[in-house]
């Protein structure tokens, strides 16, 4: 796609940002994550739960308004459009959206929101509608990585800068979008593999509950896990892979199939907490006991961390959803004409049996 406009980079030196609201969820073995969503709270998260930005690597690319082809403006007088990709039954999405809303309110910025309800065609039309309603800036949590040309073209025509969070759009930074803010998903996969190796002793058969197809999160979390297993634990064999679509009910269904087809399975790597909690429900239904099958997940929801405390989950790699402060800080820096980084990588923590009980307040 040929484009003549250009867009800026993320914060040149992002710093620790203020915490946005987290969502507290009551622990449950229920497979329906909607039940958890109903218990959401706007109470502030514990100290230390805010997103922290990793030190930029030497030579990291940056961007400016001039390079992007945008216009300087005052963020306080701008309208920001936020497009959420998924149904807010997933605690990650609940916390993510709340964080954006809280930061907009804190800054006094007008915010327009839309939720695609896990339908990609709807997300495209949602963003186009946000543009039609006068959004000067866009924050997008993409459902898929591909298929964004209609939105990029529409935003370019109006010189509206885009910041993407959590999932990456397959397009050109500082041309099609300003910055991408997210965790290092490959590293998350590696760290999950390290926890699985420790939990299983590095031997046996393990399964992967894959995230949704068509986005970089699934691809990179899978790559990191498999590469680390091959490197450090060749006697640990991945014998089953099936998508659970990042959903608890689907994670339970897939695990029920797994138990039937691979009764000797020793570990399950779930690429998000919701699927991992679905796996717990399936194991309970099959009469398994805590620890019979080692489960490692990624996210850091309160229910998953409680799962560690209860013995059902061996470890959780954090993926912090509180993007509001950093997303708005990036937009503010960019619209002032200052340099921002094209890729802002977040440092993530981890929960284990050693810290789950004391650190559960940091979960969402």
């Amino acid at each position: 796609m040929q484009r003549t406009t250009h867009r800026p980079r993320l914060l040149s030196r992002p710093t620790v940002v203020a915490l946005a609201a987290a969502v507290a969820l009551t622990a449950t073995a229920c497979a329906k994550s909607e039940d958890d969503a109903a218990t959401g709270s706007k109470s502030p998260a514990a100290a230390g739960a805010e997103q922290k930005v990793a030190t930029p690597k030497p030579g990291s690319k940056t961007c400016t308004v001039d390079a992007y082809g945008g216009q300087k403006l005052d963020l306080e007088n701008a309208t920001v459009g936020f497009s959420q990709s998924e149904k807010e039954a997933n605690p990650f999405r609940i916390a993510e959206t709340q964080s954006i809303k809280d930061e907009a309110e804190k800054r006094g910025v007008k915010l327009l929101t839309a939720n695609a309800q896990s339908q990609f065609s709807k997300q495209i039309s949602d963003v186009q509608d946000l543009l039609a309603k006068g959004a000067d800036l866009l924050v997008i949590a993409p459902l898929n990585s591909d298929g964004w040309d209609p939105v990029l073209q529409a935003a370019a025509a109006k010189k509206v800068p885009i910041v993407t969070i959590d999932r990456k759009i397959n397009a050109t930074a500082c041309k099609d979008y300003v910055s991408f803010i997210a965790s290092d998903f490959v590293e998350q996969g590696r760290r999950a593999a390290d926890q699985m190796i420790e939990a299983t002793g590095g031997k046996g058969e393990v399964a992967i509950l894959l995230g949704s197809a068509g986005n970089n999160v699934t691809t990179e979390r899978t790559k990191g896990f498999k590469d680390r297993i091959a490197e450090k634990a060749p006697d640990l064999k991945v014998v089953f892979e099936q998508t659970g679509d990042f959903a608890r009910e689907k994670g339970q269904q897939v695990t029920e199939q797994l138990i039937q087809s691979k009764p000797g399975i020793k570990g399950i790597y779930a690429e998000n907490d919701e699927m991992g909690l679905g796996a717990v429900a399936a194991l309970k239904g099959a009469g398994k006991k805590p620890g019979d099958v080692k489960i490692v997940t990624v996210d850091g929801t309160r229910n998953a961390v409680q799962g560690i405390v209860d013995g059902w989950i061996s470890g959780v790699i954090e993926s912090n959803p509180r993007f509001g402060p950093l997303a708005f800080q990036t937009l503010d820096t960019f619209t002032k004409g200052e340099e921002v980084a094209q890729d802002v990588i977040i440092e993530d923590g981890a929960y284990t049996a050693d810290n789950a009980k004391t650190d559960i307040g940091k979960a969402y």
Side-chain angles (χ1 to χ4, degrees), residues 1-7 68-70 131 138 149-162 175-176:
M1 177 182 69
Q2 298 297 319
R3 300 270 315 277
T4 56
T5 54
H6 294 276
R7 310 186 173 184
Y68 185 77
L131 289 168
L138 290 171
D149 282 4
V151 163
L152 300 179
Q153 291 168 354
K158 294 190 173 186
K159 296 185 178 180
V160 173
I162 297 172
K175 176 185 176 185
D176 298 315

Side-chain angles (χ1 to χ4, degrees), residues 187 190-198 200-203 224-236:
E187 181 62 18
R190 294 190 192 108
R191 295 173 68 199
D194 289 340
Q195 289 196 348
M196 183 64 75
I197 292 168
E198 182 177 353
T200 60
K203 295 181 180 180
F225 185 84
K226 287 185 170 180
D227 287 353
R228 184 60 62 89
I229 292 294
E231 173 193 354
K232 288 191 171 183
D235 291 332
L236 200 60

Side-chain angles (χ1 to χ4, degrees), residues 304-317:
V305 179
Q306 184 63 45
I308 299 176
V309 176
D310 296 339
W312 285 99
I313 295 176
S314 296
V316 176
I317 304 302

Side-chain angles (χ1 to χ4, degrees), residues 28 41 62 128 175 206 217 227 250 252 261 274 324 327 363:
T28 175
S41 164
T62 59
Q128 291 171 329
K175 176 185 176 185
V206 297
V217 179
D227 287 353
K250 187 69 177 290
Q252 178 175 349
S261 63
E274 285 298 285

Side-chain angles (χ1 to χ4, degrees), residues 314-332:
S314 296
V316 176
I317 304 302
E318 183 189 37
S319 194
N320 197 323
R322 303 175 181 100
F323 288 95
L326 187 52
F328 278 86
Q329 183 183 351
T330 298
L331 291 173
D332 194 17

Side-chain angles (χ1 to χ4, degrees), residues 43 104 176 182 201 232 246-247 262 327 332 336:
S43 58
D176 298 315
K232 288 191 171 183
F246 289 132
K262 301 288 182 181
D332 194 17
K336 288 177 179 176

